[in-house]
């Protein structure tokens, strides 16, 4: 219990939220200060503004996931196109070599008077020469058959490589278009959110931040009140410890969509790089992490596990113990510690299961 209270105090200093209270403890949610005289009155309440901003940044997060996935696929397809091009070059060289060998055989036949080897054999009256030549003919026929067979296979392989390269190129172009659309969507949503925030007075921005904290506090308190923290007692693996150490070392660095460090991160950029630093590669995006990594029950959660948030799996944070996560929240915010239950949890995945 002392350990948990110490962790609670430390996290409170970092994120200005009392989100890590043990179940059963009661804390008053922070109340926004009264509006100062002269504060501009908006048609929408600040709570409405908060919800609107949250929706915009959620859309930007989904678009960021789409962009990151398209980028990852583009990189794979580019590498595959390079590999296929190398195979095509090797295939062309092999075909030329086989054609040269076939040409040499044809020239040898011409030098023999244009008669087939079998006909020349029939004209000899030397029994031993006949037997020796018959053996060479059999070997030559096999070699010719093998040559023709290899030439046919190599030509078929070359055609297949060319077709695959064309397919990969089409996929590459399609993913580049997806990237462009996702980038436009990201910039549109972030610009819309920034436009709203820029219209707020300094005092209103401070109150808006408090409203965000209130909403997170309320969600975290409800999550803790369910008693879930009593059931979570998993110990992290050695790789999990390394991943947590890396992720927490990034606290204070800004969120930038599409970023994978070292100076900035988006949510899945942080988690994927943390696990890469621990020696385990995982998918780049939160949606792919949810789709491909082993899922576990939240009661079995341990530090290093990844908590996937929202119905569209558009956000991810790393569980660090004591009911907390480290994550890169959204544009305009820095990597920080927050309550694991401060957002809608979709599920939990374990990279090193």
């Amino acid at each position: 219990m002392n350990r948990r209270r110490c962790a609670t105090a430390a996290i409170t200093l970092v994120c200005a939220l009392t989100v890590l209270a043990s179940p059963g403890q009661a804390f008053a949610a922070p109340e926004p200060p009264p509006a100062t005289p002269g504060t501009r009155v908006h048609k929408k309440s600040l709570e409405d503004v908060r919800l609107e901003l949250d929706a915009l940044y959620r859309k930007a997060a989904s678009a960021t996931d789409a962009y990151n996935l398209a980028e990852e696929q583009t990189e794979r397809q580019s590498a595959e196109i390079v590999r296929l091009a190398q195979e095509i070059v090797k295939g062309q060289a092999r075909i030329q070599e086989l054609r040269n060998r076939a040409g040499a055989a044809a020239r040898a036949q011409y030098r023999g008077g244009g008669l087939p080897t079998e006909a020349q054999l029939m004209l000899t009256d030397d029994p031993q020469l006949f037997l020796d030549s018959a053996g060479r003919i059999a070997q030559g026929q096999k070699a010719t058959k093998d040559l023709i067979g290899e030439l046919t296979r190599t030509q078929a392989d070359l055609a297949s490589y060319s077709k695959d390269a064309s397919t990969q190129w089409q996929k590459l172009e399609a993913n580049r278009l997806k990237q462009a659309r996702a980038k436009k969507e990201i910039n549109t949503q972030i610009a819309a959110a920034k436009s709203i925030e820029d219209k707020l007075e300094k005092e209103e921005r401070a109150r808006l931040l408090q409203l965000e904290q209130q909403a997170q506090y309320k969600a975290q308190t409800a999550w803790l009140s369910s008693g879930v923290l009593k059931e979570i007692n998993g110990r992290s693996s050695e790789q999990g410890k390394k991943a947590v150490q890396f992720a927490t070392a990034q606290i204070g660095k800004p969120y930038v969509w599409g970023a994978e460090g070292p100076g900035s991160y988006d949510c899945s950029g942080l988690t994927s790089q943390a696990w890469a630093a621990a020696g385990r590669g995982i998918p780049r995006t939160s949606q792919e992490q949810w789709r491909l990594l082993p899922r576990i029950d939240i009661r079995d959660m341990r530090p290093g596990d990844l908590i996937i948030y929202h119905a569209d799996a558009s956000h991810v944070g790393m569980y660090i113990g004591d009911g907390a996560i480290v994550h890169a929240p959204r544009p305009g915010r820095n990597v920080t510690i927050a309550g694991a239950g401060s957002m809608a949890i979709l599920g939990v995945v374990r990279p090193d299961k």
Side-chain angles (χ1 to χ4, degrees), residues 166-179:
S166 177
T167 300
Q168 290 299 326
W169 184 263
Q170 291 172 0
K171 289 181 179 179
L172 179 65
E173 290 304 303
N175 276 308
R176 282 176 174 163
L177 289 175
K178 287 180 183 177
Q179 276 186 278

Side-chain angles (χ1 to χ4, degrees), residues 32-318:
T36 56
T39 299
R40 184 156 40 91
V41 177
H42 295 273
K43 292 181 180 179
K44 294 181 179 180
S45 69
L46 274 178
E47 176 62 13
D48 289 335
V49 171
R50 183 191 72 79
L51 293 173
E52 185 175 0
L53 287 172
D54 185 62
L56 289 170
Y57 283 124
R58 286 274 305 282
K59 289 178 182 178
S62 293
T64 298
D65 241 24
Y67 178 91
N68 290 336
L69 179 59
E71 182 178 48
E72 189 176 40
Q73 291 173 335
T74 296
E75 290 174 357
R76 285 201 302 266
Q77 285 149 3
S78 295
E80 181 63 10
I81 287 171
V82 170
R83 186 191 71 80
L84 289 168
Q86 292 170 340
E87 293 294 338
I88 288 171
V89 170
K90 288 192 292 185
Q92 289 171 335
R94 184 58 177 160
I95 285 174
Q96 187 58 50
E97 178 189 350
L98 293 170
R99 283 175 175 169
N100 290 341
R101 286 169 54 187
R107 287 191 295 274
Q109 183 177 349
Y110 177 78
R111 287 193 296 270
L115 289 174
T117 307
E118 293 85 346
Q120 296 178 37
L121 178 61
M122 296 300 295
L123 296 176
T124 183
D125 55 2
D126 185 335
Q128 187 60 47
L129 179 60
F130 180 90
L131 292 174
D132 293 343
S133 298
R136 287 195 297 272
I137 289 172
Q139 292 175 357
Q141 288 176 335
K142 183 179 185 304
T144 300
K145 184 178 180 181
D146 290 346
L147 177 64
I148 294 172
E150 185 175 357
L151 182 59
T152 302
R153 288 193 300 272
T154 304
Q155 287 174 327
D157 288 343
L158 194 59
S160 177
Y161 291 146
S162 298
K163 183 178 179 181
D164 288 347
S166 177
T167 300
Q168 290 299 326
W169 184 263
Q170 291 172 0
K171 289 181 179 179
L172 179 65
E173 290 304 303
N175 276 308
R176 282 176 174 163
L177 289 175
K178 287 180 183 177
Q179 276 186 278
R181 287 195 297 268
K183 184 176 182 179
K184 183 178 180 180
E185 175 71 7
I186 293 165
N187 289 330
T188 298
Q189 300 301 334
I190 292 177
K194 189 174 185 302
S195 176
I196 292 172
E197 291 181 301
D198 286 345
K199 294 176 183 176
L200 298 175
E201 302 290 350
K202 182 179 179 181
E203 294 82 359
E204 290 173 317
R205 290 197 190 99
R207 288 178 59 201
L208 183 64
L209 178 59
Q210 285 191 328
L211 286 173
E212 288 180 13
Q213 294 171 349
Q214 268 191 294
Q216 293 169 4
Y217 172 88
K218 183 177 180 181
Q220 174 73 355
T221 300
W223 185 68
L224 292 175
S225 297
S226 70
V228 65
L229 199 57
K230 294 179 181 178
E231 300 182 25
I232 298 174
N233 56 10
R235 294 185 178 181
S236 63
S237 64
E238 287 303 312
Q239 280 187 310
K241 289 178 183 177
K242 291 178 182 178
V244 169
Q245 288 170 356
F246 179 94
T248 52
Q250 313 313 309
I251 288 173
K253 294 182 179 180
Y255 177 106
V256 174
W257 69 265
E260 299 177 84
S264 58
Y265 296 88
D266 63 18
C267 66
S268 57
L270 176 65
T271 55
S272 60
Q273 288 302 303
W275 272 100
R280 191 171 188 87
I282 64 173
R284 168 64 177 86
T285 71
S286 58
Q287 291 174 344
E288 289 296 281
Q289 289 169 5
W290 173 244
R291 188 172 73 88
L292 297 175
L293 294 178
R295 300 179 186 182
I296 62 167
D297 193 287
I298 197 168
R299 292 171 297 183
D300 300 322
M301 191 163 59
R302 68 189 188 192
D305 290 342
L306 305 182
I307 304 181
I308 310 298
Y309 293 96
H310 310 307
D312 59 356
S314 58
H315 191 69
V316 60
M318 179 178 291

